Amino acid sequence: MPEAELLAGCEVDHIISRKHGGLTDSANLALSCERCNRAKGTDVGSVVGPEQAFVRLFNPRIEEWSEHFQLTGATVESKTDIGEATVRLLRFNSPDRVLQRQVLQQVGAYPIR
Ligand SMILES: [Zn+2]
């Protein structure tokens, strides 16, 4: 999401929370919107699939967004288990967020190129 479109802007988030031993250094920090950061909390992963296997969340420092997600219309779809855990836990497709993406798409402001 373009930072300019966020009321609260972005904030720096620990990818692996300090609670789980994550360090406060650039390799473990990412710029996050407030909503994603609040939804993530101190989580480092979630469970997916019928076997409820634990998978870690997407790490923007070591992975490409397009490996794990695709944009279909204004909905972020997962392509992998990591993507699925991240989409669900961070609530990427809550109705208001999809609507926000739709509006930004209509004015050419999403996705960022
Ligand atoms: Zn976000």
Side-chain angles (χ1 to χ4, degrees):
M1 185 62 63
E3 186 172 11
E5 304 301 335
L6 301 167
L7 289 177
C10 288
E11 45 194 45
V12 177
D13 181 29
H14 289 82
I15 297 167
I16 298 173
S17 63
R18 287 178 287 180
K19 175 181 177 180
H20 293 291
L23 301 176
T24 302
D25 64 30
S26 60
N28 190 43
L29 297 173
L31 201 58
S32 171
C33 76
E34 179 187 21
R35 294 187 63 182
C36 287
N37 199 8
R38 296 295 170 273
K40 177 181 172 290
T42 61
D43 292 326
V44 295
S46 187
V47 292
V48 299
E51 278 122 43
Q52 297 286 284
F54 178 83
V55 294
R56 65 176 173 75
L57 296 174
F58 173 69
N59 183 336
R61 288 287 183 216
I62 60 172
E63 295 167 302
E64 289 293 321
W65 192 91
S66 60
E67 281 179 42
H68 298 281
F69 311 99
Q70 65 185 24
L71 190 63
T72 301
T75 300
V76 178
E77 294 181 338
S78 60
K79 296 165 72 175
T80 64
D81 286 349
I82 287 172
E84 181 182 333
T86 305
V87 164
R88 182 171 31 80
L89 197 79
L90 275 58
R91 302 181 198 117
F92 283 174
N93 295 315
S94 64
D96 58 317
R97 296 179 97 178
V98 171
L99 179 61
Q100 183 182 26
R101 283 188 213 108
Q102 288 171 335
V103 170
L104 291 172
Q105 286 173 331
Q106 289 171 0
V107 297
Y110 188 88
I112 302 171
R113 299 278 178 213

